[in-house]
Amino acid sequence: MGDMKLPALPTEKSFPSPLHHPRVATVIGRWLGIAVTICFLTGLFSHLQQATPDWLHIPSRPSSLYRVTQGLHILTGTVAIPLLLAKLWTVYPKLFAKLPWPPSRQTLGTALGTVLERLSILVLVSAMALELFIGFLNTLQWYPWPFPFKETHYALAWIIVGALLVHLAVKLPLILAHWKKTPADRTPLPQPADSLPPAITGLSRRGLFRTVAGAGALIGVASIGQSVPALGPIAVLAPRKPGIGPQGLPVNRTAHDAGVPRIGSDWRFTIEGPQQLTYSLEELRALPQSRSELPIACVEGWSQGAHWEGIRIRDLLRFCGAPAASRVRVVSMEQGGFHATSELPPQFADDPLTLLALRLNGSDLDLDHGFPARVIAPNRPGVLQTKWVHRLEILP
Ligand SMILES: Nc1nc2c(c(=O)[nH]1)N[C@H]1C(S)=C(S)[C@@H](COP(=O)(O)O)O[C@H]1N2
Ligand SMILES: [Mo]
């Protein structure tokens, strides 16, 4: 046993493939950077819609804006998964680079810098992997973890932004040096003579870029159909597909799951404003009805346009003597749960497209779509389109 030697640990030089070159990291990093930036900004918009600070005025138009931003959020987040994997594969030999450790007095600064940089990369990679992983499972409507998704997803986003800025600042010289195309991108790369073993059989950089782009496109196409109806049939990654559900519209949470029963004839709708008004369903149906063409755009990624009919919220405000643009609290018959109430900021309550909807695609609301009444408003996340509404409260 005594003369058996342990195999030496690999070093950075043990990975001679030119596909681990900084140029490759720069190109794939650029794609990942674009995806992450769009994903972050659209995610921030979605967060602000659901937790709007007092100073922020979110416009109610364009009416399909949120559908587009959230579709992009899910698309870029999904596509970022293969891009992140490719980026990690490109740079993993760096894991075996020698740390200047233990440092001498002269190299102390460099050594500390390197350690801090590696720590920031550790934070970046783990936060991003976790973020994309829980986000992806969330689009599949599967929540196998004990922590609150929304808050965790949001906090991780800021951690990623911070760690990413540090990473970009540190790597800026390298990124700039490899920003432009070189002839090596095009020619198949000869294996260095001493490469052990020739692990990558002559795949050129261009070949790698095409493979990664292809993987990104494939996974993007498999998911985008949940918000682009024409591509619905190929959306194998979508748990909800356009056109499939009662009245031709997917259901996110059924009445059964929300614990909401079918109502009896004693059901009443109340609006609490300067005056308190109460309506039976027949009386609601007798009020002036308006039509809106508006999408449900679920935060989890699916969206679909639909045809709604009901009473304008602004009309209801007028009936009860409330000022034209009032903030409105919407209350569901659902007991508890995150979606049992929502708030319409004044500009949403005042928008003529915003309805207390009684009908969907030409017939009375299905119980699963919120029978007898639900809210539908332009440019809003699906979570705020409260179903089974029985009370509106005018807020001061
Ligand atoms: N009361 C209540 N309203 C709700 C929900 C809910 O669970 N309870 N789900 C919301 C979510 S997340 C979405 S995406 C939309 C979906 O509407 P639909 O099921 O009619 O398509 O309803 C919203 N309204
Ligand atoms: Mo949703």
Side-chain angles (χ1 to χ4, degrees):
M1 288 292 283
D3 54 357
M4 257 181 75
K5 270 221 241 142
L6 283 174
L9 272 180
T11 68
E12 218 185 334
K13 297 222 167 56
S14 316
F15 306 90
S17 163
L19 299 183
H20 296 305
H21 192 270
R23 165 70 185 157
V24 180
T26 303
V27 172
I28 298 179
R30 224 151 51 189
W31 297 344
L32 186 57
I34 293 170
V36 166
T37 304
I38 298 175
C39 200
F40 174 72
L41 293 176
T42 50
L44 190 60
F45 180 57
S46 186
H47 175 85
L48 291 172
Q49 281 265 21
Q50 293 171 71
T52 314
D54 290 339
W55 49 264
L56 186 68
H57 177 100
I58 296 178
S60 62
R61 305 293 178 93
S63 63
S64 287
L65 178 63
Y66 184 80
R67 182 181 191 184
V68 174
T69 63
Q70 193 60 12
L72 280 174
H73 183 72
I74 305 295
L75 178 68
T76 50
T78 311
V79 169
I81 295 172
L83 295 183
L84 177 64
L85 293 177
K87 179 82 181 355
L88 291 179
W89 177 82
T90 301
V91 300
Y92 83 88
K94 283 259 164 282
L95 280 176
F96 300 98
K98 274 227 184 77
L99 267 185
W101 208 262
S104 67
R105 190 168 283 184
Q106 293 92 320
T107 59
L108 186 64
T110 335
L112 280 181
T114 314
V115 169
L116 284 180
E117 202 245 326
R118 298 237 182 130
L119 280 179
S120 81
I121 295 219
L122 182 71
V123 171
L124 178 59
V125 170
S126 33
M128 213 145 147
L130 186 60
E131 184 79 324
L132 294 179
F133 179 67
I134 64 175
F136 183 63
L137 289 192
N138 191 68
T139 69
L140 301 179
Q141 301 188 319
W142 187 39
Y143 314 86
W145 47 76
F147 51 81
F149 169 78
K150 210 172 69 176
E151 288 74 7
T152 313
H153 200 61
Y154 184 62
L156 280 172
W158 284 107
I159 294 174
I160 292 168
V161 167
L164 193 57
L165 290 178
V166 172
H167 180 57
L168 289 177
V170 172
K171 297 289 182 192
L172 196 61
L174 203 60
I175 295 171
L176 291 179
H178 296 96
W179 190 258
K180 290 221 179 87
K181 206 182 227 152
T182 68
D185 290 338
R186 255 167 287 121
T187 39
L189 296 151
Q191 292 294 309
D194 59 348
S195 83
L196 279 182
I200 310 288
T201 47
L203 183 65
S204 66
R205 277 185 204 158
R206 191 196 255 187
L208 178 73
F209 295 156
R210 284 187 179 162
T211 308
V212 174
L218 198 67
I219 196 165
V221 160
S223 113
I224 189 68
Q226 55 194 318
S227 25
V228 179
L231 297 174
I234 51 172
V236 291
L237 289 179
R240 305 278 190 273
K241 290 197 207 339
I244 298 178
Q247 299 176 289
L249 182 76
V251 168
N252 216 57
R253 191 134 165 271
T254 61
H256 179 266
D257 288 347
V260 178
R262 185 163 276 278
I263 55 147
S265 56
D266 58 344
W267 182 81
R268 292 294 178 272
F269 169 83
T270 319
I271 174 160
E272 287 173 11
Q275 298 170 56
Q276 175 161 328
L277 304 177
T278 300
Y279 299 90
S280 69
L281 183 52
E282 283 317 309
E283 288 165 337
L284 281 181
R285 285 173 175 152
L287 292 175
Q289 307 288 306
S290 302
R291 294 153 184 257
S292 298
E293 203 66 52
L294 287 175
I296 294 275
C298 181
V299 290
E300 282 148 355
W302 67 269
S303 64
Q304 190 186 323
H307 181 79
W308 308 90
E309 287 170 70
I311 306 112
R312 286 188 176 141
I313 300 287
R314 66 189 296 181
D315 290 347
L316 289 168
L317 293 185
R318 194 157 39 84
F319 298 157
C320 76
S326 297
R327 178 174 294 274
V328 178
R329 201 169 103 93
V330 181
V331 185
S332 171
M333 292 182 277
E334 183 184 353
Q335 301 290 317
F338 294 120
H339 310 324
T341 65
S342 65
E343 261 183 40
L344 285 166
Q347 68 277 22
F348 287 92
D350 196 40
D351 192 302
L353 288 178
T354 303
L355 304 180
L356 178 72
L358 306 179
R359 290 166 67 82
L360 159 62
N361 292 337
S363 53
D364 286 348
L365 283 174
D366 186 278
L367 183 57
D368 286 339
H369 284 305
F371 180 82
R374 79 172 302 163
V375 153
I376 187 81
N379 185 23
R380 297 216 93 192
V383 279
L384 302 177
Q385 312 278 29
T386 309
K387 305 196 275 193
W388 311 294
V389 171
H390 72 152
R391 193 166 75 239
L392 295 182
E393 298 167 10
I394 313 304
L395 298 177

